[in-house]
Amino acid sequence: MGDSLHRYLAMKIHPLVDGSKWTNLVVVGRHSRGVHDNGTVISSKEKTDKPFNWMRPTAKRIGEDLHIQCFPGADHVEHYAALLATYLRFTRGKEAAQKVFFEPVGNDQTISTLEKGTNLLLMPKADVVVTGLVHRLGDLTGSSSFGGDRDEEFAWVIKRFGKSGKTVAFLGCRFSFWGSIAGDLVRVVAKHTGAKQVLYFGKLGTTRPSLQPNRYLASGHSSWVPRTGLVQWKNILGPTINPVTESGIPLILGRHETLPSVLFETHEWLTKAIDHGHDFVDPEVGQMALAAVETGLEFGYLHIISDNVARKYSEDLSNERLKEVLHGRDRLYKTVNQLLGTHLNNL
């Protein structure tokens, strides 16, 4: 991310990190929005002008330490601890960065929180679940609004597609289902909704220097996942997207790597990723694919390439609200609506 790193970090850090005194920062897997939980402070940096992915980790003072409370997920907790340590190294030096710790998340903690600590199980049965940037799929969801209270973690729109009238749930999430959380989300969806297919529309980075951010879409059928290795699946979007790669639509098919944190995208990592032929990187795709393979679900992803980790461009993760970024993405949103619409109407 280069020179943009400090700006990116500053957007993510809870205000009490700079605005209060503490001995240690401890990142914990705990979903708390302050309801019936005195002392929890919601971040003033939450971007509540968007419908999803705006709930950020909260903070709570425990003795002389400041606990940063993330939605439970092994990758999420480790990622946020890395964010804090890197930010403090920028702003206060190495000694302050060494005062950041994180508590490992238990094996079943994420699924338990999704099932018991959110409204996810209230979602109706569906044949297909589409998740990610679902609020950008207005051509598919139509005039339907994502219901529920804004304090609820999930909201959805239910539509029917195809001659068979398959039920499709467009599932939006207000917190960040970062990394391994995404895999457990798929496992809960498989268990409770009866869905046979999960589609993920999001954003990722590329290792190909020539690909300018916010000009291309990405998809594929494999991902290298830490502690697991290569995960492969049949890309259920293949029959729709494979033919259009030759028709001028800016869609790149490639190999993906799943990485728990953007802060692990070092020069050393990049060299290895390129050597292994990995074209794309993000924290979720491989985790979701692995869960889909384990539970017998069909899976496909269609993402916007929003960052280039091999070459510095003016558009990156630190300035996603620039006019040029928004304009580029608007064009890609239209293409995604068309491609997903074709797929869903052929169910």
Side-chain angles (χ1 to χ4, degrees):
M1 204 176 297
D3 297 337
S4 303
L5 179 57
H6 183 266
R7 185 166 63 246
Y8 171 79
L9 294 169
M11 297 188 304
K12 306 295 182 182
I13 300 302
H14 195 286
L16 287 186
V17 172
D18 289 325
S20 67
K21 294 182 178 181
W22 41 265
T23 299
N24 297 301
L25 292 176
V26 184
V27 184
V28 300
R30 184 167 185 262
H31 180 50
S32 174
R33 298 291 297 170
V35 180
H36 310 302
D37 183 18
N38 293 334
T40 288
V41 179
I42 292 175
S43 173
S44 60
K45 296 180 182 179
E46 292 187 340
K47 298 176 181 177
T48 55
D49 59 342
K50 60 180 184 177
F52 298 118
N53 190 24
W54 56 266
M55 290 183 175
R56 294 294 175 255
T58 56
K60 185 174 185 178
R61 180 170 294 281
I62 305 294
E64 295 183 351
D65 296 338
L66 185 65
H67 281 210
I68 303 298
Q69 304 173 136
C70 297
F71 194 95
D75 292 345
H76 195 201
V77 167
E78 185 178 6
H79 165 67
Y80 206 85
L83 286 179
L84 287 169
T86 306
Y87 177 74
L88 290 174
R89 194 173 293 115
F90 271 117
T91 58
R92 303 192 193 185
K94 182 178 180 181
E95 185 176 343
Q98 292 174 341
K99 295 182 179 180
V100 177
F101 304 90
F102 69 89
E103 296 181 356
V105 173
N107 290 336
D108 299 322
Q109 191 175 347
T110 304
I111 288 179
S112 176
T113 305
L114 286 169
E115 292 180 335
K116 301 176 183 178
T118 77
N119 65 326
L120 180 58
L121 298 193
L122 298 178
M123 189 176 77
K125 298 288 186 180
D127 299 299
V128 179
V129 174
V130 183
T131 193
L133 301 174
V134 291
H135 58 296
R136 301 298 186 182
L137 300 177
D139 291 349
L140 305 181
T141 58
S143 60
S144 300
S145 60
F146 290 87
D149 191 290
R150 268 188 69 83
D151 290 330
E152 292 178 321
E153 294 81 3
F154 293 94
W156 49 82
V157 165
I158 307 296
K159 291 287 185 177
R160 290 190 178 274
F161 285 85
K163 295 180 180 179
S164 59
K166 295 288 187 181
T167 302
V168 179
F170 295 87
L171 176 64
C173 181
R174 294 191 172 99
F175 63 88
S176 174
F177 54 74
W178 189 276
S180 56
I181 299 173
D184 284 334
L185 175 63
V186 171
R187 293 180 179 93
V188 173
V189 163
K191 179 180 178 182
H192 293 283
T193 69
K196 303 301 181 185
Q197 184 179 129
V198 171
L199 305 175
Y200 181 29
F201 168 41
K203 302 175 294 183
L204 48 62
T206 182
T207 64
R208 295 191 188 182
S210 63
L211 298 181
Q212 183 178 351
N214 306 304
R215 303 299 186 274
Y216 298 90
L217 297 172
S219 190
H221 59 82
S222 69
S223 180
W224 189 89
V225 181
R227 299 179 295 277
T228 298
L230 183 65
V231 178
Q232 299 183 85
W233 64 95
K234 179 181 178 181
N235 186 357
I236 195 61
L237 294 173
T240 298
I241 65 177
N242 290 342
V244 305
T245 57
E246 304 295 330
S247 64
I249 288 181
L251 172 61
I252 310 297
L253 301 179
R255 297 178 179 179
H256 182 276
E257 179 171 340
T258 299
L259 204 63
S261 174
V262 295
L263 294 175
F264 298 166
E265 295 171 0
T266 63
H267 291 297
E268 180 182 4
W269 166 82
L270 178 60
T271 298
K272 292 180 179 179
I274 293 174
D275 287 345
H276 287 101
H278 298 163
D279 305 291
F280 310 131
V281 59
D282 93 324
E284 289 87 36
V285 165
Q287 296 287 356
M288 298 179 85
L290 176 61
V293 170
E294 290 175 352
T295 57
L297 294 187
E298 298 171 325
F299 177 69
Y301 76 92
L302 185 59
H303 278 27
I304 289 173
I305 296 177
S306 60
D307 189 33
N308 193 307
V309 299
R311 177 181 173 185
K312 178 65 176 175
Y313 284 88
S314 60
E315 300 173 19
D316 57 35
L317 299 182
S318 73
N319 54 20
E320 294 187 290
R321 296 197 171 195
L322 287 178
K323 184 183 296 184
E324 309 90 275
V325 173
L326 299 177
H327 183 63
R329 290 184 183 177
D330 281 343
R331 292 198 300 267
L332 295 175
Y333 293 149
K334 293 178 182 177
T335 303
V336 172
N337 274 272
Q338 292 169 0
L339 293 174
L340 291 184
T342 297
H343 170 75
L344 294 174
N345 281 313
N346 285 327
L347 290 174

